Amino acid sequence: MVKSKLRSRARKQANDVTVQTEPQPSAVSDVIVQTEPQPSAVSDVTVQTEPQPPADSDTTVLREALRTVTTFDAPSALGEDQLTALLQSLPRLEELTVRVPSFGTGRWLRLLPTSLRTLYVAGPEVTEPRWPGRYGSGLSVSLQGVAADTISHLATELGSRITLLVTDAQVTTIPSQLRGAIIRVEPDTVILPAGVRDSELTELRISRETVERLSVTAADLPRLRGQLPEGLQRLNVRGPEVTKPRWPERCPSDGLSVSLQVVTADTISHLADLGRTFELLEIYDCHDLTAGSLEPLTRCPELERLTLSGGVPDTVSLEPLTRCPELEYLTLSGGVPDAVLDSLSGCPGLWRLKLGDRQRPAETAFTAAAVTRLVKSCRELCVLYLHCTADTTRAVLTALKKADLGRDSDGRPRTIYLRVPGELFRQLKSQEGGGVRVWEWND
């Protein structure tokens, strides 16, 4: 506190001024300040100040101020060592912005206080920051324009603390430490963890056109009934051990396509009960398929394209597929025994059939006789893709040329387009004929 006392001297000469510049011995806190003479009556002004604290108290005040900071925007020029040192002084920090492309080692991440709820890391080119929002009581993180290894640093250093990750980098594999987090890949992809809260499902539903790709666990699929975003185009349903979602192909009509990845067969029933029609379904490595587990597909009136990958045992009948009137495209990848092909007899709308495994052609188990029987019974079948041994391919070509393929639904003689890998195409092209044309399989 500053105390001022005005002391006037009534003298005849107004311009006489007495000035003292040194502190008085009796009171070191009193300071007398000289003032310029005034044109009229001039007074001496004595200013009194409080005793000055020691110089190192400035550091103490700064430290105490930092301890109360909850939001901090780190300067773009701040290095990792500087940020690491600073974070040790911010124990109550709740929001942190770091405007750098990436800190090399990521060791600064381990110093983030447990109070932190939002972390935003942006690269140097970012001009419109997108904050992640918050989910749950954990840490929400947004990454924009940063190096791809930042995600692995986050997973390693923060692990299960993260409940929401928003990033513009493509996420192909889910780090094991982030399996409990919602991952939003900008601009249109969401990967949900197991046991996601109902509030997040509600938010997902009202997202409408903003979410086009969605990955969920098979255990949570029944909870999505009536909750799928209107603009959703691709849905991945994964088993508990899957870390790399396999997105289905996109439907040519922009309808919904679905992939089931290492799930149990009853997942198909839950899928049919979602309340949403889908046109394309890909099933990968579902090893407990039965005719009964395929039965729900007959309740999917718009199913046009189906892929069964990983082989179909000869104990599994595909007869339910013959009651899917819109099914036109069927892919059976892996081993396909004769009994499986025979169970497809008379599939009414089947137009294109892919058989075999491009990586392991020798594992296919069907014979030329079974293929010929199927072609003759499926009157709309026009294009047949084969990935099998060269000997089986030649045998199929010969058998189809000899067979009476009949006429199509328009009454014209049928033509079968046999598509084979490039190395076989060059050998077999000259042998086509009798209603069979040989094309190269190049997709």
Side-chain angles (χ1 to χ4, degrees):
M1 178 181 298
V2 179
K3 298 180 179 178
S4 299
K5 179 172 62 177
L6 180 62
R7 185 175 54 196
S8 300
R9 294 182 178 180
R11 291 184 177 181
K12 186 175 181 180
Q13 300 295 327
N15 59 350
D16 290 341
V17 180
T18 302
V19 180
Q20 290 181 320
T21 57
E22 296 295 330
Q24 302 301 310
S26 59
V28 296
S29 62
D30 291 339
V31 180
I32 301 175
V33 180
Q34 178 181 355
T35 64
E36 294 293 332
Q38 300 300 317
S40 56
V42 178
S43 303
D44 292 338
V45 179
T46 301
V47 179
Q48 187 179 48
T49 63
E50 294 292 330
Q52 300 300 310
D56 62 355
S57 66
D58 290 343
T59 304
T60 302
V61 171
L62 178 60
R63 286 174 179 170
E64 290 303 314
L66 288 175
R67 292 182 61 84
T68 64
V69 170
T70 60
T71 301
F72 186 75
D73 191 337
S76 57
L78 204 62
E80 183 174 23
D81 290 340
Q82 293 171 303
L83 181 60
T84 299
L86 181 63
L87 288 174
Q88 295 174 326
S89 303
L90 301 173
R92 300 180 186 176
L93 193 62
E94 296 181 6
E95 295 184 358
L96 173 63
T97 300
V98 181
R99 299 181 185 278
V100 292
S102 175
F103 287 126
T105 65
R107 62 187 176 89
W108 62 280
L109 292 166
R110 72 190 66 166
L111 295 177
L112 295 178
T114 57
S115 59
L116 193 69
R117 292 294 175 262
T118 305
L119 171 64
Y120 174 61
V121 184
E125 305 301 323
V126 175
T127 57
E128 297 182 4
R130 291 190 297 269
W131 285 89
R134 290 188 180 181
Y135 175 71
S137 59
L139 176 62
S140 298
V141 181
S142 177
L143 305 177
Q144 278 185 273
V146 300
D149 61 356
T150 304
I151 295 179
S152 61
H153 289 322
L154 283 168
T156 300
E157 302 296 346
L158 299 179
S160 59
R161 285 183 59 183
I162 299 177
T163 54
L164 172 64
L165 172 63
V166 180
T167 177
D168 56 6
Q170 288 302 310
V171 177
T172 57
T173 302
I174 307 172
S176 59
Q177 304 95 324
L178 297 181
R179 287 190 184 181
I182 295 174
I183 301 177
R184 296 182 181 271
V185 184
E186 298 293 349
D188 57 12
T189 300
V190 175
I191 302 173
L192 293 179
V196 68
R197 298 188 311 181
D198 289 340
S199 60
E200 180 64 23
L201 296 181
T202 301
E203 180 182 343
L204 182 70
R205 177 178 56 81
I206 62 178
S207 297
R208 298 183 183 276
E209 290 82 3
T210 60
V211 177
E212 296 181 0
R213 299 197 307 176
L214 172 66
S215 177
V216 299
T217 63
D220 283 328
L221 184 62
R223 301 172 58 207
L224 288 176
R225 185 171 184 175
Q227 301 286 345
L228 294 180
E230 292 181 6
L232 189 66
Q233 295 180 352
R234 287 188 273 186
L235 172 65
N236 167 256
V237 183
R238 65 188 192 275
E241 302 304 318
V242 174
T243 60
K244 187 174 183 179
R246 186 165 184 171
W247 301 105
E249 292 183 9
R250 186 168 178 173
C251 284
S253 64
D254 290 338
L256 178 62
S257 59
V258 181
S259 62
L260 305 181
Q261 197 177 358
V262 197
V263 300
T264 55
D266 61 353
T267 305
I268 299 175
S269 177
H270 297 312
L271 181 64
D273 292 334
L274 275 184
R276 278 285 296 273
T277 58
F278 53 90
E279 300 175 21
L280 184 153
L281 174 61
E282 300 172 358
I283 303 177
Y284 297 99
D285 301 315
C286 183
H287 301 297
D288 60 345
L289 283 177
T290 63
S293 62
L294 292 173
E295 186 70 26
L297 293 180
T298 63
R299 296 187 277 112
C300 303
E302 296 187 15
L303 179 62
E304 293 182 359
R305 302 165 183 255
L306 175 63
T307 296
L308 298 177
S309 180
V312 182
D314 56 6
T315 57
V316 177
S317 171
L318 300 184
E319 184 277 332
L321 302 184
T322 66
R323 290 180 277 121
C324 297
E326 298 300 320
L327 183 62
E328 295 183 358
Y329 303 84
L330 178 60
T331 298
L332 302 177
S333 178
V336 186
D338 283 3
V340 172
L341 292 183
D342 288 337
S343 68
L344 279 171
S345 179
C347 196
L350 188 60
W351 182 78
R352 187 185 71 176
L353 176 64
K354 291 184 177 182
L355 296 176
D357 193 314
R358 300 186 67 173
Q359 282 70 44
R360 299 179 295 275
E363 293 183 7
T364 56
F366 55 80
T367 64
V371 174
T372 303
R373 290 194 298 269
L374 181 61
V375 171
K376 293 176 65 175
S377 69
C378 298
R379 309 303 298 174
E380 298 298 321
L381 186 59
C382 180
V383 185
L384 178 62
Y385 293 74
L386 288 183
H387 265 298
C388 52
T389 63
D391 289 342
T392 300
T393 304
R394 291 190 186 93
V396 170
L397 174 58
T398 300
L400 290 177
K401 287 168 59 177
K402 293 180 178 179
D404 179 9
L405 300 178
R407 297 178 178 273
D408 60 24
S409 57
D410 294 330
R412 295 173 297 187
R414 291 180 66 190
T415 298
I416 297 297
Y417 296 92
L418 185 63
R419 307 199 70 156
V420 299
E423 61 273 13
L424 283 177
F425 168 76
R426 290 183 288 273
Q427 300 175 29
L428 301 179
K429 178 62 177 176
S430 61
Q431 301 178 30
E432 66 181 17
V436 181
R437 300 290 180 266
V438 179
W439 287 359
E440 185 176 1
W441 185 348
N442 53 14
D443 60 354

